Amino acid sequence: MLYSWLTVVLCLSLKWVSCYEVSNLTFPDSFLFGSATSAYQIEGAWNESGKGISRWDYITHSMKIVLDGSNGDVACDSYHKYKDDIAILKELGVNYYRFSIAWTRILPDGFTNDINQDGVDYYNNLIDGLIEAEIQPWVTMYHWDIPQVLNYIGDFNNPNTSDYMVYYADTLFSLFGDRVKTWITINEPITFCAHYPLGSLALGAVLPPGITEYLCGHNVLRAHAKIYDLYQRKYKESQSGRISIALSAEYAEPATDSAADLEASERKLLFDFGWFAYPLVYGNYPSVMIDTIRNLSSLQGYPFSRLPTFTLEERLLLKGAYDFIALNHYTTSLTADASADVKSPNFLNDALVNQYKDSSWETSSASWLTVYPEGFRKLLVYIKKTYNNPEIVITENGYADDPGVLNDEGRINYIKSYLSQLLKAIYEDGVNVTAYTAWSLMDNFEWYNGFTVRFGLYNVDFDSPNKTRTAKESASYYRNIIETRCLVDVCEE
Ligand SMILES: *[C@@H]1O[C@H](CO)[C@@H](O)[C@H](O)[C@H]1NC(C)=O
Ligand SMILES: *[C@@H]1O[C@H](CO)[C@@H](O)[C@H](O)[C@H]1NC(C)=O
Ligand SMILES: *[C@@H]1O[C@H](CO)[C@@H](O)[C@H](O)[C@H]1NC(C)=O
Ligand SMILES: *[C@@H]1O[C@H](CO)[C@@H](O)[C@H](O)[C@H]1NC(C)=O
Ligand SMILES: *[C@@H]1O[C@H](CO)[C@@H](O)[C@H](O)[C@H]1NC(C)=O
Ligand SMILES: *[C@@H]1O[C@H](CO)[C@@H](O)[C@H](O)[C@H]1NC(C)=O
């Protein structure tokens, strides 16, 4: 009764075309809640205290591609205001904070011959402050802000970058691994390898499409596997942490019930999530990727497959190189078969699908982000089934709205409806989801969208010198979920 009343009120107040079912199940006792940010999006202090230049410093200063012409020079000024960040995390009551380390703050030139003590001090202070507040530090090593010097030599298209990242990771383990027990090596490789080909943009050159996406992905996987292996050999015994790589996946909802569209949906999930997850779980790319790209390459006149192959040694290193599946999920697209239509070589065309949005899905302030909570549950069930029922940690999930919205009902509805589907996946489908990370703790620099769209639970006043953080309604709602472990007023015991 209470729940139906709530639903009706929410539906009317925002004129939603569809209303979402809200679960009254209780989160398991061991379930963890957190929130996340990344270094370039919040830290600012881009040229202070010995920090080197990252790709995003370079992009925002040298190229006019950010929507509002902004940059992350100051952003939330978390380099100076990390105590404010810890205070709001404490207010939220989260179990952990997922943040990233800026490679160029630790290694200004990208390499370990120069370690910047000010950068080390900054992260030590942040980590110690979190631990003192009883918040676990979860660290992402690389969240898109690669040292510009490595971008100049080809980024992850250069196999040596994998090795350089291993040295960086080794440095982080030895500096912070006594206190950091959850590591994410790399965030969303599909985004920087295939969706935002920033390597090519920053170099001012057009790299060959259909080639570099796979080279980049290949070297990302090699880097991850080597870092995982290094940790097992050198640190696991003394530090006993766990490691994964954060993979983003949309759900690919079949556009119709036809066999061709069902197959297209499977194929797209294997191209997107499977590109990285399959090698980690099974030691190689999904055979549908191997076969499809080989056939397409041949049709397109290449004497080799555009998808590289792993050596046997690499396959052995890859297989099992994860302690849990780290999933970033936001949205779903309808997926239709397009296998009759061979287009020009590039990652998006290679999956031989057409994707679009259902017009009935609620939209957000980010064009790519439409609201379809059922897709979240379907994706979780798909991952359970396809990847041997792994432990799944949601490392990102969140909603985009406009600047200045403090009464953010759209975000509350999103969190409520997505977490409802997550609870169903746990209790009705037996999916082993153990943690949920709300993206993002606070409004921040949203890459190409600059400051035009907002993902924060906390509003940041970017005009104020203090970059004042103010709780939105969604922050209170999230805090209440964490406190009660329940999405509604009364939950099932
Ligand atoms: C750092 O960048 C700011 C602009 O964001 C500039 O005003 C300042 O002079 C720079 N500082 C140094 C040390 O280069
Ligand atoms: C860089 O790559 C070359 C060619 O594969 C290799 O010989 C060399 O050892 C690599 N250097 C490092 C530091 O990994
Ligand atoms: C690739 O081509 C071979 C030979 O023509 C064909 O048997 C196979 O079905 C094709 N596979 C895919 C996934 O396109
Ligand atoms: C979920 O995964 C964790 C970590 O592997 C494991 O300890 C736990 O028993 C699993 N829970 C279920 C219900 O499978
Ligand atoms: C900015 O923060 C400082 C220290 O937290 C505080 O003393 C000051 O009043 C704040 N200024 C504004 C305008 O909020
Ligand atoms: C939870 O929801 C179910 C049906 O959706 C209902 O039967 C049950 O009474 C509810 N429990 C509570 C405590 O409200």
Side-chain angles (χ1 to χ4, degrees):
M1 188 59 203
L2 183 61
Y3 131 57
S4 45
W5 178 81
L6 272 175
T7 313
V8 169
V9 169
L10 285 168
C11 293
L12 291 178
S13 67
L14 284 184
K15 301 188 187 66
W16 281 319
V17 263
S18 53
C19 305
Y20 305 110
E21 223 182 303
V22 183
S23 171
N24 66 5
L25 298 168
T26 306
F27 285 92
D29 288 340
S30 57
F31 194 88
L32 301 179
F33 290 96
S35 189
T37 60
S38 89
Y40 186 75
Q41 294 178 278
I42 65 161
E43 281 181 6
W46 74 281
N47 58 356
E48 275 179 50
S49 309
K51 180 180 160 294
I53 303 300
S54 80
R55 170 166 64 183
W56 272 89
D57 295 319
Y58 181 88
I59 289 175
T60 55
H61 293 157
S62 313
M63 310 175 75
K64 303 216 174 316
I65 50 177
V66 175
L67 209 60
D68 55 1
S70 64
N71 56 51
D73 287 3
V74 182
C76 307
D77 201 19
S78 287
Y79 185 67
H80 300 110
K81 308 222 166 284
Y82 69 92
K83 286 182 182 158
D84 294 18
D85 298 346
I86 296 171
I88 60 178
L89 287 158
K90 209 169 162 177
E91 187 174 80
L92 277 178
V94 289
N95 304 108
Y96 62 90
Y97 177 39
R98 177 183 172 221
F99 62 95
S100 83
I101 289 183
W103 191 329
T104 53
R105 214 178 272 296
I106 300 292
L107 309 177
D109 300 322
F111 304 101
T112 47
N113 53 320
D114 177 17
I115 297 179
N116 177 33
Q117 191 56 42
D118 283 348
V120 175
D121 293 346
Y122 171 66
Y123 294 111
N124 272 332
N125 290 336
L126 174 59
I127 290 166
D128 292 344
L130 288 168
I131 289 171
E132 199 178 312
E134 293 175 16
I135 298 165
Q136 299 170 22
W138 287 20
V139 170
T140 309
M141 298 176 173
Y142 173 53
H143 200 124
W144 307 359
D145 48 355
I146 200 164
Q148 182 57 23
V149 289
L150 294 182
N151 191 234
Y152 282 130
I153 63 162
D155 209 295
F156 275 98
N157 298 314
N158 183 337
N160 281 85
T161 297
S162 305
D163 300 308
Y164 302 142
M165 184 168 175
V166 179
Y167 294 114
Y168 166 54
D170 195 0
T171 308
L172 297 186
F173 290 142
S174 75
L175 287 169
F176 308 118
D178 56 334
R179 288 152 294 155
V180 174
K181 302 301 170 192
T182 300
W183 294 97
I184 299 294
T185 54
I186 294 165
N187 186 67
E188 289 189 17
I190 193 175
T191 311
F192 66 82
C193 290
H195 292 170
Y196 292 166
L198 297 179
S200 49
L201 280 174
L203 284 162
V206 179
L207 299 181
I211 304 277
T212 43
E213 296 97 319
Y214 301 117
L215 265 185
C216 171
H218 204 67
N219 291 318
V220 159
L221 281 162
R222 292 169 72 246
H224 171 81
K226 287 184 195 182
I227 292 168
Y228 188 88
D229 179 57
L230 169 82
Y231 192 80
Q232 308 313 306
R233 287 186 287 105
K234 194 167 167 188
Y235 298 100
K236 180 77 177 184
E237 202 182 314
S238 58
Q239 298 187 351
S240 56
R242 50 187 200 149
I243 303 181
S244 193
I245 175 171
L247 303 180
S248 63
E250 290 192 354
Y251 185 64
E253 175 90 349
T256 71
D257 289 341
S258 74
D261 285 353
L262 294 177
E263 218 175 280
S265 154
E266 285 271 328
R267 189 161 64 239
K268 186 59 177 163
L269 288 165
L270 286 167
F271 263 79
D272 282 5
F273 187 70
W275 182 7
F276 299 97
Y278 223 86
L280 296 177
V281 178
Y282 298 112
N284 202 357
Y285 294 119
S287 56
V288 70
M289 275 187 91
I290 296 172
D291 294 344
T292 306
I293 298 168
R294 190 207 299 114
N295 285 7
L296 286 172
S297 300
S298 159
L299 279 172
Q300 290 156 343
Y302 295 89
F304 57 88
S305 175
R306 292 184 281 99
L307 184 69
T309 48
F310 292 113
T311 63
L312 182 59
E313 194 189 348
E314 286 168 342
R315 290 178 58 175
L316 292 172
L317 213 54
L318 277 161
K319 190 172 176 189
Y322 65 103
D323 296 315
F324 55 91
I325 294 286
L327 175 68
N328 293 1
H329 174 76
Y330 291 88
T331 192
T332 291
S333 288
L334 293 178
T335 306
D337 177 55
S339 55
D341 187 15
V342 175
K343 297 185 192 147
S344 60
N346 74 47
F347 172 77
L348 291 177
N349 291 343
D350 287 346
L352 301 172
V353 301
N354 280 330
Q355 285 198 301
Y356 50 96
K357 297 292 188 178
D358 188 311
S359 58
S360 76
W361 292 342
E362 204 190 310
T363 55
S364 78
S365 297
S367 57
W368 55 270
L369 203 171
T370 49
V371 183
Y372 182 60
E374 292 87 344
F376 189 24
R377 178 178 177 185
K378 290 176 184 177
L379 178 65
L380 291 170
V381 170
Y382 165 82
I383 292 173
K384 175 192 177 192
K385 183 179 70 146
T386 313
Y387 297 99
N388 296 335
N389 191 15
E391 178 187 355
I392 302 174
V393 167
I394 308 305
T395 33
E396 285 183 28
N397 176 249
Y399 176 82
D401 57 8
D402 291 338
V405 181
L406 291 176
N407 184 7
D408 53 343
E409 282 184 65
R411 179 166 295 103
I412 291 174
N413 174 59
Y414 181 96
I415 293 173
K416 185 183 287 182
S417 56
Y418 273 67
L419 282 178
S420 287
Q421 296 296 323
L422 186 152
L423 281 167
K424 288 184 183 188
I426 292 176
Y427 288 112
E428 292 175 33
D429 309 319
V431 182
N432 193 2
V433 188
T434 57
Y436 174 85
T437 316
W439 183 274
S440 175
L441 175 62
M442 58 192 157
D443 291 343
N444 54 49
F445 177 79
E446 181 54 24
W447 311 111
Y448 290 128
N449 287 310
F451 295 105
T452 65
V453 302
R454 303 293 171 88
F455 277 90
L457 297 167
Y458 282 76
N459 180 75
V460 175
D461 180 0
F462 291 105
D463 294 329
S464 77
N466 270 1
K467 310 294 169 199
T468 311
R469 286 94 162 115
T470 307
K472 301 181 189 179
E473 292 293 327
S474 60
S476 317
Y477 180 65
Y478 193 49
R479 184 179 59 212
N480 194 57
I481 294 173
I482 298 172
E483 201 173 290
T484 62
R485 315 190 73 74
C486 171
L487 302 175
V488 291
D489 286 348
V490 183
C491 267
E492 292 280 302
E493 280 309 314

